[in-house]
């Protein structure tokens, strides 16, 4: 936001994002623009590091375009802030767009009020006022997934591009920190963008720079005004200072005339808001009371939380009996280096005696990270073998989550980690503290809690963010002192965890004396896999050994056949590896309290029932409220579980993240209590897919990876063979010079020779239209066709396109679709069935020309050889393992997918090959 010489306020996409995140930020920025205040300077090395890393990523993306041979127009941002400077910069951008390079870097878009500098403008072959081409905006972001802020920015750039070229772009692009490129349809976000933009303009035009209050939001972490707002919260005795309070709690308390921390800390039980439960209210007012005591004299204090008979085994009762083999664990990570970040220091302390002993496992490269992970796992398992009662203690859940990522990344120590998780070896002391002890600090971070049991830390590195900054300095300078400072910090974290456990053991004794009666302990249990699981693992290992004899360890030294067999061998255990993290998450979440689940993105916690909003036949739709600041992945169509009953809570029919409401549909006969939390479904049974991969492997072991025979289409895919088409020689062009793409695809569909044909194109390029007409021609030729995808919605979309095409061209189609009511197509040509057996019966009916269902249906042995061609829609979202597993169902396979997402059979080491 800036004020030009004509007193016009110029807005930017950054201002738009700030307004969406925090209305008060706009107020403060307006004050600077109007000369009422000055923008503060916030020195934060971590934020500086993020800014520098963002610029480095931007430069890398630019270099990639240059190295790819793209024509790139590199522009410069205007040096001054005069209106003439901005106009000149936009004129240069328009000139560049008119000349038509592949990429424009650092353009300027300015309409007199809105100023934007998109990282990149990418040429696309859609005619516009510029000529036979047009442009779409692209941004590089360090994040690993799209965030609303980035999409808002891109919408603003898209509007500026549309103004110049007279054509609204179809898509906008995000180059993420892991170098993945996401393409988003602008129309999906345009309405929200326009509403936010209009609200910001009205706010600025009003000239009001005083009417908002700084409510805590996630954006505070990176906002330069954060210290200013924190000072105001202290002066106003704001409720946000109460540890672990949430925005919905703050609103409820204010509505009940409890506006400050002091009021809450001195409140009586009968002052509880009607929409806040008794237990949460008691927790908050006791927390506020204890903090008030610390504010008076500066002394950090604690008090014990009485055990709740309804929640046995929580708090101090979570502590296992101390054992000589116990390990205390902490990780240092850098999210900005290597693809996906790196866990560069895995530190452990063991306390066989009174003095803790520290061992670091360092890693500076991906190979070293794998080695460090394996050494750590071997270290822990060796201690577990010697002492089955030992545990691994950590604070908060980052460490187990990181080990799960490392296991998935390297496909190693899978069974060892499974044994530790299944056996309950990991103990999160954060849960023990929050559930068993109340402390007088505003935060329950380890650095705050440890003030109760250890002296103040000293040294160059004292926070996690600064350890990352120090590590980045080491990478640039090679100075070993930086590593020494990080190691000292990590050692202190491990020692702090060691001392915390000892302090909590003392509190256990105190609790038993204070509350009367012994507290229970969790009992050790064997984490070994079941006999059935071990038998399955042994069978997989024998197949892997039979597929890979003599194959070089170096991928570059392998022949095409060796690489294909190696890849098939890695896919055999893919589903087990994929299922494990889902099961781990399920078991981790289902025993947590609704309050604890609030902090997990895999769940939705602390729900309150609002009302019944509608009735449908023999079902009702129930609305529940939750804190809208919760981040979660539950979306419409999901069927989440109630962790209290371990049963379905219903089907999600609507989610409003802004209002903090979720609507669940369930039968009127369902007398289960209203859920207080939701977690994801249990993993689907993947046995049909695993068994199908084994059949492919057994065939290859007996007959080789190449040549005619069963599963040839997916064997071709693994071998990276070009599509084999009758009448077209190997290596010849598939589409004639005068032939359109749709015309060529329809011709090729009829002459596929047990092969795999990828049909690629970005969203909106006509894959569904083309695929539907290819299917129609196959039906006309008397062939049986399969349709599958990763979701019923995608399957139904392609089915409906086929039915519509059939009506247009006068071709009768008869389709059987396995899907539940509500998921299946409602087209009259479709018969929806609920069981595999019904599909098998109808397949023998000569009138059935198309069978549709998910990969679990298509991988079944009963379907092998029953189809001529299988169409896989949205193939880029399906794993290579599942494509191969379905290979027996049809002679040929057509993959419909985005070229940026379609599974690529590479020479890499990722077990999925994608």
């Amino acid at each position: 936001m800036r004020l030009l010489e004509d007193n016009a306020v110029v807005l930017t996409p950054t201002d738009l994002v700030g307004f969406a995140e925090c209305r008060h930020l706009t107020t403060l920025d307006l004050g600077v623009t109007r000369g009422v205040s000055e923008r503060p300077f916030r020195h934060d090395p971590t934020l500086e590091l993020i800014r520098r890393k963002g610029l480095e990523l931007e430069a890398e993306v630019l270099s990639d375009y240059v190295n790819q041979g793209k024509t790139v127009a590199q522009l410069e941002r205007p040096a001054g802030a005069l209106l003439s400077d901005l106009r000149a910069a936009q004129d240069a951008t328009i000139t560049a767009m008119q000349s038509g390079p592949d990429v424009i870097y650092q353009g300027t878009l300015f309409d007199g009020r809105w100023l934007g500098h998109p990282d990149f403008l990418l040429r696309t072959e859609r005619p516009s006022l510029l000529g036979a081409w047009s442009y779409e905006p692209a941004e590089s972001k360090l994040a690993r997934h799209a965030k609303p802020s980035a999409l808002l920015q891109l919408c603003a750039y898209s509007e500026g591009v549309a103004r110049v070229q007279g054509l609204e772009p179809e898509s906008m692009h995000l180059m993420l920190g892991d170098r993945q490129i996401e393409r988003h349809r602008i129309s999906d976000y345009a309405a929200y963008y326009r509403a936010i933009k209009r609200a910001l303009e009205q706010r600025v035009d009003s000239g009001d720079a005083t009417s908002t209050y700084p409510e805590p939001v996630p954006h505070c972490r990176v906002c330069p005004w954060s210290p200013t707002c924190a000072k105001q919260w202290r002066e106003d005795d704001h409720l946000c200072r109460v540890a672990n309070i949430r925005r919905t709690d703050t609103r409820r308390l204010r509505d009940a005339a409890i506006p400050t921390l002091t009021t809450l800390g001195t409140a009586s039980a009968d002052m509880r808001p009607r929409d806040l439960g008794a237990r949460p209210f008691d927790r908050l007012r006791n927390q506020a009371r204890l903090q008030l005591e610390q504010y008076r004299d500066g002394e950090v204090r604690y008090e014990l939380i009485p055990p709740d008979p309804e929640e046995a085994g929580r708090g101090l009762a979570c502590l296992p009996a101390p054992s000589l083999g116990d390990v205390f664990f902490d990780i240092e990570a850098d999210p900005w280096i290597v693809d996906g970040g790196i866990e560069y220091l895995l530190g452990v302390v063991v306390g066989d005696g009174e003095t803790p002993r520290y061992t670091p496992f360092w890693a500076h490269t991906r190979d070293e990270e794998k080695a460090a992970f394996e050494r750590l796992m071997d270290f822990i398992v060796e201690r577990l073998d010697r002492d089955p009662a030992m545990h691994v203690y950590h604070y908060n859940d980052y460490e187990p989550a990181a080990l799960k990522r490392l296991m998935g990344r390297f496909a190693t120590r899978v069974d060892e980690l499974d044994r530790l998780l299944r056996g309950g070896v990991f103990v999160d002391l954060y849960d023990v503290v929050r559930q068993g002890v109340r402390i007088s600090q505003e935060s329950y971070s380890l650095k705050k809690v440890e003030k109760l049991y250890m002296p103040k830390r000293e040294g160059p590195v004292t926070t996690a963010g600064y350890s990352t900054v120090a590590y980045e300095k080491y990478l640039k300078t090679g100075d070993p002192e930086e590593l020494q400072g990080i190691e000292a910090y990590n050692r202190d974290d491990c020692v702090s965890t060691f001392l915390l456990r000892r302090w909590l053991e003392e509190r256990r004794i105190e609790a038993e004396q204070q509350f009367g009666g012994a507290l229970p302990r969790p009992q050790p249990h064997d984490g070994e896999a079941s006999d059935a699981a071990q038998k399955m693992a042994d069978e997989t290992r024998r197949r892997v050994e039979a597929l890979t004899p003599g194959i070089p360890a170096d991928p570059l030294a392998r022949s095409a056949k060796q690489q294909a067999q190696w890849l098939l061998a890695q896919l055999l255990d893919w589903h087990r590896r994929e299922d494990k993290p889902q099961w781990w998450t399920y078991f981790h979440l289902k025993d947590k309290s609704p309050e604890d689940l609030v902090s997990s993105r895999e769940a939705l916690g602390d729900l309150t029932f609002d009302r019944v909003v509608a009735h449908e036949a023999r079902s009702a739709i129930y609305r529940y409220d939750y804190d809208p600041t919760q981040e979660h992945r539950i979306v419409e169509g999901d069927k989440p579980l109630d962790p209290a009953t371990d049963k379905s809570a219903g089907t999600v029919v609507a989610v409003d993240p802004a209002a903090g409401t979720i609507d669940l549909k369930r039968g009127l006969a369902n007398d289960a209590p209203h859920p207080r939390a939701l977690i994801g479904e249990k993993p689907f049974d993947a046995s049909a897919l695993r068994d199908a991969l084994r059949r492919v492997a057994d065939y290859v072991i007996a007959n080789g990876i190449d040549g005619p025979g069963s599963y040839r289409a997916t064997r071709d895919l693994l071998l990276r063979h070009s599509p084999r088409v009758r009448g077209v020689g190997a290596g010849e062009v598939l589409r004639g010079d005068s032939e359109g793409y749709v015309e060529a695809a329809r011709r090729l569909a009829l002459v596929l020779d047990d092969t795999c044909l990828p049909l690629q194109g970005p969203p909106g390029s006509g894959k569904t239209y083309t695929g539907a007409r290819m299917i129609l021609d196959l039906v006309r030729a008397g062939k049986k066709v399969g349709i599958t995808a990763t979701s019923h919605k995608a399957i139904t979309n392609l089915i409906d396109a086929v039915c519509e095409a059939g009506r247009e061209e006068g071709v009768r189609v008869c389709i059987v679709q396995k899907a539940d009511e509500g998921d299946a197509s409602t087209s009259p040509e479709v018969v929806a069935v609920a069981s595999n057996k019904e599909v098998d019966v109808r397949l023998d009916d000569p009138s059935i020309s198309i069978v549709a269902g998910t990969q679990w249906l298509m991988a079944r042995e009963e379907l092998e050889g029953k189809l001529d061609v299988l169409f896989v829609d949205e193939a880029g979202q399906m794993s290579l393992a599942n494509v191969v597993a379905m290979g027996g169902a049809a002679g040929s396979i057509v993959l419909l997918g985005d070229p940026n997402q379609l599974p690529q059979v590479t020479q890499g080491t990722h077990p999925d090959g994608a």
Side-chain angles (χ1 to χ4, degrees):
M1 190 180 298
R2 65 176 73 171
L3 194 68
L4 295 182
E5 63 265 27
D6 61 354
N7 289 323
V9 177
V10 173
L11 300 173
T12 69
T14 300
D15 299 322
L16 188 70
V17 170
F19 179 74
E21 295 277 0
C22 175
R23 298 297 196 261
H24 190 65
L25 172 58
T26 300
T27 296
L28 295 170
D29 286 345
L30 273 172
V32 174
T33 303
R34 306 294 185 192
V36 176
S37 57
E38 294 184 4
R39 182 181 299 277
F41 172 73
R42 179 180 177 182
H43 174 65
D44 187 327
T46 302
L47 295 181
E48 285 298 311
L49 172 62
I50 293 172
R51 186 189 66 82
R52 178 167 59 82
K53 284 292 182 180
L55 293 175
E56 290 176 0
L57 175 62
E58 190 179 304
E60 290 172 8
V61 173
L62 176 62
S63 178
D64 287 345
Y65 283 131
V66 173
N67 293 335
Q68 292 166 15
K70 303 280 190 182
T71 56
V72 179
Q74 298 191 42
L75 307 179
E76 293 185 2
R77 291 193 179 188
L82 298 176
L83 186 61
S84 57
D85 297 329
L86 303 181
R87 296 288 188 197
Q90 172 165 261
D91 289 344
T93 303
I94 294 174
T95 299
M97 294 172 71
Q98 291 171 340
S99 66
D102 297 320
V103 179
I104 298 173
Y105 175 61
Q106 285 295 344
T108 296
L109 302 169
F110 182 56
D111 65 359
R113 181 167 206 184
W114 282 91
L115 171 66
H117 301 288
D119 289 346
F120 303 95
L121 297 177
L122 307 181
R123 173 170 167 153
T124 183
E125 302 309 312
R126 291 179 66 218
S128 69
L129 294 178
L130 302 172
W133 64 89
S134 56
Y135 285 92
E136 295 180 342
E139 283 285 292
S140 59
K141 296 293 181 182
L142 289 172
R144 299 295 192 269
H145 60 273
K147 294 184 177 181
S149 57
L151 297 173
L152 270 179
Q153 277 187 286
L154 283 167
C155 284
Y157 297 145
S158 299
E159 188 173 55
V161 169
R163 177 176 49 80
V164 172
Q165 66 188 22
L167 176 73
E168 182 176 279
E170 282 189 338
S171 303
M172 48 193 183
H173 310 261
L174 275 175
M175 293 90 163
L176 300 173
D178 57 5
R179 308 308 297 272
Q180 297 297 309
I181 299 176
E182 288 188 0
R183 179 187 287 109
H184 295 267
R185 293 178 64 87
I186 295 168
S187 57
D188 293 340
Y189 310 96
Y192 175 69
Y193 160 71
R194 288 193 296 268
I196 291 290
K197 179 189 175 188
R198 183 167 57 251
L200 174 57
E201 290 177 338
Q202 291 172 351
R203 180 85 176 81
V204 172
D205 291 342
S206 72
D208 184 358
T210 60
S211 64
T212 57
Y213 189 86
E215 298 294 344
V217 295
H219 190 70
C220 294
R221 293 192 298 266
V222 298
C223 181
W225 294 98
S226 184
T228 304
C229 297
K231 180 175 181 291
Q232 185 170 355
W233 294 331
R234 288 193 299 272
E235 293 172 350
D236 295 346
D237 195 24
H238 197 285
L239 283 167
C240 71
R241 299 167 68 208
V242 179
N244 300 316
I245 196 170
R246 293 171 298 140
R247 288 176 65 184
T248 51
D249 297 331
T250 300
R251 175 182 53 78
R252 291 165 177 166
L253 291 168
R254 284 175 177 164
D255 292 345
I258 304 177
T260 65
L261 185 149
T262 299
T263 311
L264 176 61
T266 56
S268 59
D270 58 6
M271 295 174 65
R272 176 175 66 87
R274 287 184 300 174
D275 54 355
L276 183 61
R279 287 172 57 188
F281 179 63
D282 286 343
R283 175 180 60 81
L284 290 172
R285 69 190 184 100
N286 284 322
Q287 179 66 43
R289 171 184 52 77
L290 202 60
Q291 288 180 218
L292 282 175
E293 294 178 17
Q294 179 178 329
Y295 295 151
R296 293 190 187 105
D297 59 18
E299 180 183 346
V300 181
R301 45 176 52 85
Y302 73 91
E303 59 187 27
L304 301 176
I305 298 175
D308 188 335
E310 296 181 6
E311 294 186 346
R314 289 167 56 80
L316 294 170
C318 288
L319 281 173
S323 183
L324 290 177
D326 288 338
V327 173
F328 303 85
F329 178 36
D330 186 68
I331 291 179
E332 307 303 325
D334 187 335
W336 315 121
I337 61 174
V338 190
D339 292 341
I342 189 170
E343 318 293 334
Y344 62 82
L345 176 56
L346 314 176
V348 295
V349 152
V350 295
D352 298 342
E354 282 298 307
T355 304
R357 292 183 288 106
Y358 173 73
T359 302
F361 299 92
W362 281 97
H364 305 298
T365 67
R366 195 58 95 205
D367 288 342
E368 290 178 2
E369 184 184 40
K370 177 183 179 183
F373 169 63
E374 291 176 336
R375 288 166 56 211
L376 171 71
M377 292 299 299
D378 294 344
F379 173 85
I380 294 173
V381 169
E382 188 271 335
R383 293 180 73 85
L384 181 61
D385 288 339
R386 287 192 285 112
D387 179 6
M390 66 84 67
H391 288 82
V392 177
Y393 294 85
H394 56 96
Y395 198 80
N396 226 324
D397 57 4
Y398 182 86
E399 281 68 28
L403 294 182
K404 294 170 189 175
R405 284 197 303 273
L406 292 170
M407 180 280 294
R409 177 177 292 161
F410 300 117
T412 182
R413 301 302 188 268
V414 178
D415 294 327
E416 289 83 353
L417 183 56
D418 195 38
R419 176 186 172 190
L420 299 181
L421 293 165
R422 187 185 290 114
V425 172
F426 293 102
V427 179
D428 187 353
L429 293 181
Y430 176 72
D431 286 343
V432 179
V433 170
R434 281 195 60 201
Q435 298 164 10
V437 183
R438 187 178 295 117
I439 66 171
S440 59
Q441 299 277 51
E442 293 181 3
S443 162
Y444 277 57
S445 70
L446 185 62
K447 309 302 180 296
K448 296 290 187 180
V449 175
E450 68 186 23
K451 293 181 183 297
L452 288 162
Y453 57 83
M454 65 184 286
K456 183 178 180 180
R457 299 194 189 199
E458 296 180 356
V461 178
T462 55
T463 68
Y466 278 66
S467 73
T468 304
V469 172
Y471 189 67
E472 288 286 337
K473 287 182 180 178
Y474 162 75
L475 294 176
K476 284 188 172 297
T477 66
D479 185 353
E481 288 190 8
E482 300 292 350
L483 295 187
Q484 293 169 11
I486 295 169
E487 187 171 299
Y489 169 75
N490 181 259
R491 181 179 61 247
D492 286 348
D493 268 357
C494 293
V495 170
S496 181
T497 307
F498 169 84
L499 295 175
L500 173 59
R501 198 280 300 269
R502 187 164 66 185
W503 184 81
L504 288 170
E505 282 294 324
E506 295 169 355
R507 303 290 75 73
R508 263 185 65 95
I509 297 172
E510 183 181 345
E512 290 176 335
Q513 295 171 346
Q514 181 174 330
F515 304 122
L519 289 175
R521 298 262 194 195
Q523 295 302 308
H525 53 279
D526 186 7
E528 294 289 352
S530 65
D531 291 342
Q534 189 59 54
K535 179 181 178 182
M536 184 183 301
D538 291 341
E539 291 177 355
T540 298
R541 183 167 52 254
R542 285 195 293 270
R543 286 183 173 90
V544 170
E545 291 171 353
L547 284 168
T548 58
I551 293 181
D554 181 2
L556 298 179
R558 298 171 191 159
S559 67
K561 290 184 180 180
Q562 287 176 326
Q563 173 63 16
Q565 290 198 191
W566 177 88
L567 186 54
L568 175 59
Q570 310 314 306
L571 295 180
L572 293 178
D573 207 31
W574 186 84
H575 292 96
R576 188 173 73 101
R577 291 194 299 269
E578 284 294 294
D579 285 351
K580 281 188 181 299
Q582 297 177 58
W583 280 113
W584 294 338
T585 298
Y586 163 75
F587 284 114
H588 175 69
L589 296 176
K590 82 180 190 70
D591 294 327
K592 285 187 172 289
S593 71
E595 293 80 12
D596 290 340
L597 289 173
V598 169
S599 60
S600 173
R601 292 189 66 194
E602 308 297 331
L604 194 51
D606 206 15
L607 298 177
T608 55
F609 172 65
D610 181 10
R611 66 185 188 276
V612 175
V613 296
H615 286 86
E616 293 183 5
R618 289 171 294 185
S619 298
I621 297 176
Y622 302 87
R623 176 162 294 170
Y624 300 86
D625 295 326
Y626 67 91
D627 187 339
T629 62
Q630 282 192 64
E631 292 188 24
H632 65 89
R633 295 191 174 98
I634 297 174
V635 298
E636 183 179 337
D638 285 354
K639 298 177 181 178
L641 299 177
D642 178 352
T645 63
D646 201 28
K647 295 180 180 178
S648 173
T651 300
V652 178
V653 295
V655 181
D656 187 340
T661 64
I662 184 168
D663 295 349
L664 297 174
K665 178 181 176 181
R666 63 182 185 182
L668 293 172
N670 188 336
D671 59 356
H674 290 295
R676 293 188 57 216
L678 302 173
I679 63 176
E681 297 177 75
K682 299 176 185 178
F684 291 112
D685 180 8
S687 57
L689 294 157
R690 288 196 300 265
D691 291 346
L693 284 170
R694 290 174 177 175
R695 292 194 296 273
V696 177
D698 289 343
Y699 178 90
V700 171
I701 291 168
N703 302 282
I705 191 74
D706 203 0
S710 303
Y711 316 108
R712 194 172 190 190
T714 50
R715 288 188 286 115
D716 275 4
L717 179 62
L718 293 171
L719 287 161
R720 305 178 70 184
H721 282 343
S722 300
R724 190 171 38 261
V725 179
R726 291 188 295 274
V728 179
E732 292 183 10
V733 177
L734 295 179
R735 182 174 69 92
D737 292 339
S738 60
E739 194 175 29
Y741 287 103
V742 176
E743 182 184 359
R746 297 184 73 159
R747 174 179 56 81
L748 292 171
L750 300 173
V751 289
L752 296 176
D753 184 13
D754 290 348
T755 191
C756 184
L757 174 69
L759 187 67
Q760 303 182 30
S765 60
K767 296 187 300 295
T768 300
Y769 177 92
T770 304
R773 280 146 185 83
M774 294 170 71
I775 292 170
L776 206 61
D777 288 346
L778 288 163
V779 170
R780 188 186 281 115
K783 306 295 185 182
K784 272 203 186 325
V785 179
I787 294 176
T788 190
T790 56
S791 68
H792 290 293
K793 181 179 180 181
I795 294 169
T796 296
N797 182 59
L798 182 53
I799 287 174
D800 289 342
V802 171
C803 294
E804 183 180 350
R807 295 182 208 119
E808 290 176 359
E809 301 190 12
V811 179
R812 181 179 180 275
V813 295
C814 189
I815 303 171
V816 59
Q817 180 183 10
K818 181 177 182 284
D820 294 333
E821 181 183 353
D823 291 328
S825 169
T826 56
S827 295
E829 297 90 341
V830 178
V831 178
V833 299
S835 70
N836 292 334
K837 184 173 292 187
E838 290 180 272
V839 173
D840 296 340
V841 170
R842 291 180 181 273
L843 262 177
D844 294 329
D845 183 344
S847 68
I848 296 292
S849 51
I850 300 171
V851 59
T854 63
Q855 53 263 47
W856 284 270
L857 172 71
M858 297 299 174
R860 295 168 56 247
E861 189 170 11
E862 292 82 352
L863 217 61
E864 285 205 348
K866 296 293 182 69
L867 305 174
D868 295 293
V869 182
L870 175 65
F871 282 74
V872 182
D873 199 9
E874 296 188 350
Q877 299 176 31
M878 186 175 291
S879 75
L880 180 62
N882 287 350
V883 174
V884 174
M886 297 185 295
S892 294
I893 297 178
V894 176
L895 302 174
L896 307 176
D898 186 331
N900 288 326
Q901 296 180 327
L902 201 65
Q904 301 294 315
V905 184
T906 71
Q907 295 290 327
T909 58
H910 192 292
D912 194 22

